[in-house]
Amino acid sequence: MRLEFSDPLRESRLEVPVLAEALGPVPGGYLLRGREVRVFAPFASKRFFRHGWQSWSLTTWVDLTFPPKPLFPEARRPQADDPFLLEASEWWGSGLGAFEGPDGKVLLLGALGVGARVLGREDLLLGRYAEGEGEWFLGYGDRMEVFAAYGRLLPRRLSKGPPRLWCSWYSFYNRIHEALLLEVLEEVAGLPFEVFQIDDGWQRALGDWEPNERFPRGMAFLAERIREKGFRAGLWLAPFLVTPDSPLVRAHPEWILRDGEGRPIPAGFNWGKPLYALDSGNEEVLDHVAGLVRKVRAWGYDYLKLDFLYAAALPGAEGEVRYRKAMERIREEAGDAYLLFCGAPILASLGLADGLRVGPDVAPYWDNEDRSFWLQDPTGPGLRNALRTTLHRLWLRENVQVDPDVAFFRSRFSLLFPEEMRLQEAMGEMTGFKATSDPPSWLSPEERERLWAFLSRDKEVKPLGPYRFRVGEEVLDYAFLL
Ligand code: 9PG
């Protein structure tokens, strides 16, 4: 069958052959249906929009002349992307894929259900659901309009006012303790933050979500101090992640996600240890995680950063239906708490998350070349990786509050140049999600002034091109980093 795209203004017409059941036209394109759909671009394209699976996974336009390179070490693949995408010798994307035509217009194939992948090969866009059938959107036209048309068909949840927050991770990492956080709390008290979020480092172990010895008065105590200052209290959790030595693994070996032979499915490698996932299809696991959410809410936390969520969807697209059910349960349990999903399968999180991290971690440096170049890993911490993937997911702003990760204002303990910091700061301005980890005591008076302005003033943002934006009075160009 041939689907016709016409552009009345420019009197152009494009006929696109497809192998799929067509359900009819929708604004900006057509609806298709099938387990597998094939779309043949009537033009040769080298540029393919490759959408990574979860928050940290590479999302950018790739050149189809060069096949994907293997990511090392292998032990890190499960936390970098849908393992299938990383094992394939061709360019597959998660949920959607697109070609850029000779005139700069875009032909986009995007799944409307969860658990799909899209291959880009020569003139072929091949979409496939890992399990069962589903619907697809096929659109052609101006790049921004096509992505917007697709986004309008995906689930939405827009909570009011993206948050302004202080987060402990990118200054102290896991070396946090009660006295330190109380000190920072005093420092930030005068600044227009809404949330004070405690990150990784408070818990006894993965799977053992009780305060460690560095938090002698407990987490409810801290939440109360935070609220006294007029902030909402935020807490980091990785609810579906464990390490082989977690007490939870000994107590409930049957909760671990395993393959057909009973071996734990690898969930990555971090904190110097291999990672395992809890089986999100197991009702007892869901009860356990729901209990955890209830517990931290009762401690007084109503902003939850739920991290490493891909673990609940492993082994990849095949696990997304199960993931979504699990997260629906958490959403219900959390009530009106703000849920920031991180390390999370992107499309399967829409409609459930309030905030969604859409790129890798930032760091107080531009790039770690050993990891990005020699290990061919575009998901490691650093501003360059974070900006690249975040830029290509800004079209999700109409569906969820997108979190570009924190901005830096400090020169202390940082290798960033002011121009680099500015590029990340502007991401906060474009998304409205304004966060930093800088303790005010690390800042010079000018830097503090800058942070104050960032938090208290919203700037007008106008796209001038795919990678150029006017932000307030300034024009920022991100094209060089791609
Ligand atoms: C806490 C951190 C912070 C951060 C999260 C997440 O190995 N990895 O691939 C990997 C990726 C991201 C990551 C940690 C490890 O960071 O994004 O904001 O909360 O966890 O540990």
Side-chain angles (χ1 to χ4, degrees):
M1 159 193 352
R2 286 167 184 279
L3 295 178
E4 190 183 302
F5 294 88
S6 54
D7 180 345
L9 288 179
R10 298 191 190 87
E11 293 175 347
S12 65
R13 242 184 57 165
L14 188 80
E15 282 197 352
V16 180
V18 299
L19 277 176
E21 180 193 344
L23 298 179
V26 285
Y30 295 90
L31 276 193
L32 311 177
R33 186 176 172 79
R35 166 128 197 204
E36 192 172 288
V37 301
R38 286 164 194 263
V39 175
F40 301 90
F43 51 75
S45 174
K46 285 201 164 107
R47 301 242 299 157
F48 175 62
F49 184 85
R50 190 273 184 189
H51 184 252
W53 187 40
Q54 48 105 333
S55 306
W56 307 324
S57 316
L58 176 69
T59 298
T60 191
W61 290 89
V62 296
D63 184 335
L64 286 176
T65 342
F66 305 101
K69 296 182 195 152
L71 184 154
F72 294 108
E74 261 180 73
R76 275 189 180 275
R77 287 183 195 164
Q79 79 230 41
D81 213 321
D82 176 340
F84 175 96
L85 268 57
L86 295 181
E87 303 305 328
S89 54
E90 295 182 278
W91 282 108
W92 282 86
S94 177
L96 65 142
F99 285 145
E100 192 184 67
D103 50 2
K105 287 196 182 178
V106 165
L107 180 67
L108 179 149
L109 176 67
L112 301 183
V114 302
R117 303 181 177 110
V118 175
L119 166 73
R121 175 203 292 157
E122 295 173 359
D123 66 341
L124 169 70
L125 285 174
L126 180 143
R128 185 188 289 152
Y129 279 93
E131 271 146 29
E133 291 227 312
E135 293 186 359
W136 301 86
F137 167 75
L138 180 67
Y140 176 74
D142 173 75
R143 178 202 306 235
M144 297 234 295
E145 282 165 26
V146 171
F147 277 91
Y150 176 46
R152 279 193 288 273
L153 299 171
L154 294 173
R156 276 180 182 220
R157 179 185 174 92
L158 282 178
S159 319
K160 58 177 185 304
R164 287 164 295 163
L165 72 134
W166 190 85
C167 153
S168 62
W169 184 249
Y170 303 92
S171 47
F172 301 115
Y173 295 94
N174 48 25
R175 293 181 299 274
I176 50 174
H177 55 90
E178 187 186 280
L180 176 68
L181 293 182
L182 289 174
E183 248 170 65
V184 179
L185 187 57
E186 290 297 328
E187 294 173 21
V188 299
L191 287 158
F193 288 107
E194 292 162 330
V195 183
F196 186 91
Q197 185 240 314
I198 304 174
D199 214 282
D200 185 7
W202 66 271
Q203 73 282 4
R204 274 203 217 130
L206 291 178
D208 186 0
W209 301 101
E210 289 292 333
N212 59 40
E213 68 290 346
R214 300 193 305 272
F215 291 83
R217 284 177 280 188
M219 301 317 284
F221 166 80
L222 261 182
E224 209 168 308
R225 299 287 83 74
I226 293 168
R227 288 206 314 272
E228 268 171 18
K229 297 286 182 205
F231 302 129
R232 292 171 70 166
L235 194 64
W236 177 88
L237 295 165
F240 292 99
L241 207 61
V242 287
T243 50
D245 57 355
S246 297
L248 196 63
V249 176
R250 244 168 295 133
H252 290 288
E254 76 284 7
W255 286 6
I256 306 304
L257 184 69
R258 293 170 194 274
D259 64 16
E261 268 96 68
R263 287 175 304 229
I265 293 183
F269 197 97
N270 198 29
W271 301 282
K273 293 171 187 177
L275 308 177
Y276 291 167
L278 294 185
D279 179 359
S280 58
N282 181 324
E283 280 304 316
E284 286 178 24
V285 168
L286 294 188
D287 290 343
H288 158 81
V289 174
L292 173 60
V293 168
R294 214 173 310 129
K295 174 172 82 178
V296 302
R297 286 228 57 187
W299 285 347
Y301 294 86
D302 69 348
Y303 177 101
L304 308 183
K305 177 174 176 181
L306 306 177
D307 205 355
F308 289 81
L309 290 181
Y310 69 87
L314 286 172
E318 293 76 11
E320 285 184 40
V321 171
R322 167 164 49 81
Y323 168 80
R324 193 157 175 95
K325 278 194 199 130
M327 297 316 291
E328 277 165 3
R329 173 83 193 274
I330 293 187
R331 179 73 264 177
E332 242 166 67
E333 195 65 49
D336 59 358
Y338 189 99
L339 298 183
L340 174 68
F341 288 15
C342 188
I346 295 293
L347 298 185
S349 296
L350 299 178
L352 299 173
D354 298 287
L356 181 59
R357 256 287 281 292
V358 290
D361 285 16
V362 294
Y365 53 79
W366 182 248
D367 193 21
N368 173 355
E369 270 191 37
D370 285 343
R371 184 156 168 192
S372 50
F373 185 79
W374 295 106
L375 300 177
Q376 309 183 134
D377 179 358
T379 72
L383 231 50
R384 179 172 192 242
N385 288 344
L387 286 167
R388 185 204 292 114
T389 286
T390 299
L391 272 169
H392 292 97
R393 292 212 179 111
L394 288 176
W395 54 277
L396 286 165
R397 272 179 297 182
E398 304 296 320
N399 297 81
V400 63
Q401 294 185 348
V402 304
D403 168 14
D405 211 357
V406 306
F408 294 92
F409 298 87
R410 66 190 202 231
S411 40
R412 194 175 177 193
F413 303 133
S414 169
L415 299 174
L416 291 169
F417 289 96
E419 299 76 17
E420 296 168 341
M421 293 197 265
R422 180 64 201 124
L423 293 174
Q424 178 62 17
E425 185 188 351
M427 280 294 143
E429 281 151 354
M430 285 183 218
T431 59
F433 198 109
K434 294 179 177 177
T436 191
S437 286
D438 295 347
S441 62
W442 289 11
L443 303 177
S444 70
E446 296 75 40
E447 290 166 350
R448 208 180 297 206
E449 196 52 45
R450 208 177 168 100
L451 168 59
W452 174 278
F454 173 66
L455 295 173
S456 51
R457 269 179 244 145
D458 289 329
K459 291 194 179 166
E460 203 187 316
V461 179
K462 200 174 158 238
L464 303 173
Y467 304 114
R468 267 164 76 82
F469 304 85
R470 179 182 294 284
V471 182
E473 301 294 287
E474 225 177 325
V475 173
L476 294 169
D477 197 329
Y478 294 83
F480 76 96
L481 67 81
L482 302 171

